[in-house]
Amino acid sequence: MKRIIVCLKQAVDVTQLKVDPATSQLLTASAPKKISDFDKNALEEAIRIKEKNGETEIFTVTVCSEDAKPVLREALAMGADKAYFVNDHTLQNVDTWATAYVLAEAIKKIGSFDLVLCGEASLDSFSGLVGSRLAELLDLPQINSVRKISVEADVVTAERTLEDAYETVKSKMPALITVTREINQPRIPSLMMIMKASKKEIVTWTVADLNIQKEKIDAKNEVIEVLAPKTERKKIMITGENTKEIAEKLAKALFQEGIIRR
Amino acid sequence: MGENKDVWVFSEKYDLTLEIIGKGREIANTLHTELAAVLVGSGVEKKADELIKYGADRVYLVDHPALEHFQSEAYLSVLHSLAIKYKPDILLIGSTKNGKPLAARLATRLETGCIPDCTELSVDEKGRLIGERITYGGNAVAKIIFRSKPQIATIPARVFKKLKLQDRNGEVIKLDVKIEEPKTEVVETKPLETSSINIEEANVIISCGRGLEKKEDKALLEQLANIVNGQVGNSRPLAEDRKWFTEWVGLSGHKVKPKLYIACGISGVIQHVAGIRDAKIIVAINSDPEAPIFEVADYGVVGDLYEILPALTEALKKRFQ
Ligand SMILES: Cc1cc2nc3c(=O)[nH]c(=O)nc-3n(C[C@H](O)[C@H](O)[C@H](O)COP(=O)(O)OP(=O)(O)OC[C@H]3O[C@@H](n4cnc5c(N)ncnc54)[C@H](O)[C@@H]3O)c2cc1C
């Protein structure tokens, strides 16, 4: 029996995020939350590996100061077998170091595994550090930004896209892989799957349950300001009787802006 | 903590190293410390001098056949040994697909913080590094500081400019360090076709999104680009989903700063817009009057790009005559 652990972040749905126009502050607290996109790809990939290779169990791990159970139910409906949820209010301002540290301790408590899958980065903060930090803390071989995975016996082969090359990388398992969005299209669970998932277990732990000393998860970074960039655009709509007229008006405007040259 | 000093620069990509030296020089000057470049590879010794001429005061050189190609464990162990030995205050690492994981692992091994993908770096009155980065899918810019040392930040390509080659002198320190055994093996590499043109440098960019029906229709954009001396770009789905191209503009792609950006058949989802914020003028051509791109555009045209683009090309041609 193989075991795949998928790290899932509950992220702010950035497409539904509102900005307070007076202060340029983001209204993150009231924004809807969801499974971070790339993490969903990681989960989908785990399910596909299971469908192909059989005899595999999939556990998800989530670290969050707020409630994330509805999001974890969705993961279980998609096909995860069990969800582990480290839920602790002390985790409110965690940075990538602390997040990875708590994930590592949770994974150690879960026990053995063959593969850890993470998204390449999260939808909201888009840091892309946690997977690598986790690989370091668990002393695992790591393959990043992967768009194809195949598993055979105890070897995983992965394809990744670099700036100037495609690379195929092999590693012995256990290993940690971070995936990109192009790796797959995550499934939408059916009603049946959603019903079945209600019987699956969500194991909830606190930081204390993991015997983590408080100093170990002190943040190494501090965010001192988050502001929406000011965009002052003219928002002039160009209309006209016909395409030709519109095009000529636009061409004239661009000339007047002094921004085009032959 | 007080003993950490100097600003260090590393990237496995040579051009990016030079760009980061450009910014690192400025920070080292502000802090009145020295700027060191870490040069790792096989047969790279001859480049050390050039790094000094581009602005470094010192080069730590680790030259070994096992380091010919980037390998995470090997490169990590080299940087880790050097960091333990010389204790840099600030370490700026190139944010590539290999460099960022390297920075993250190094920061973890040194139990310190890391700010990824900085678009600006500065130093506060206490001499602490402040990194700025785009966050929340392009909705915001965050300023971040450290509570630990060394202060590690990663820098994407083409954010900073390399300095002019100067006649400068510096010190090259050649080191032998223990190299960790690789845990992964690269079994195949294939070159990826990237556009040789540098879209970040373009003055005019005409970009297409999913509104483009066929790859060949890109010719419509190229015709316009030819007239105005511009380049052609695209949104991510044309690369990721349709595989027509390998690169894209946006948060996870190229961040551009042209004088003019024309978005054709691009809806204007924030992840795309995050890449064009620094454009002087944005023009949107979209058949859907409700498309969010119009909210971030200076000039908007509701219409079919297949009609508007050729007409705009004609209109500009006429004006140039
Ligand atoms: C974490 C993350 C990072 C991402 N990073 C990026 C990124 O860096 N860059 C990026 O581009 N995307 C990125 N995306 C994807 C992004 O969310 C959008 O899916 C993408 O930008 C949409 O591309 P589009 O505008 O081409 O397609 P669509 O959203 O499908 O828009 C197509 C538009 O074309 C218009 N149209 C159709 N036919 C015509 C016609 N004949 N004439 C005129 N208009 C027409 C439609 O009205 C529509 O508005 C990212 C997503 C995530 C989750």
Side-chain angles (χ1 to χ4, degrees), chain B residues 107-127:
Chain B
T108 309
R109 204 168 273 195
L110 294 167
E111 300 202 6
T112 189
C114 182
I115 312 178
D117 303 321
C118 292
T119 50
E120 186 52 283
L121 292 169
S122 57
V123 170
D124 71 4
E125 70 285 354
K126 290 183 188 139

Side-chain angles (χ1 to χ4, degrees), chain A residues 124 136 166 168 220 238 257, chain B residues 109 136 147 187 190 299:
Chain A
D124 47 7
E136 180 63 27
Y166 295 113
T168 308
K220 309 279 185 196
I238 296 187
E257 291 282 356
Chain B
R109 204 168 273 195
Y136 289 108
R147 290 180 179 167
V187 288
K190 268 188 300 195
Y299 297 98

Side-chain angles (χ1 to χ4, degrees), chain B residues 36 199 302:
Chain B
I199 199 159
V302 177

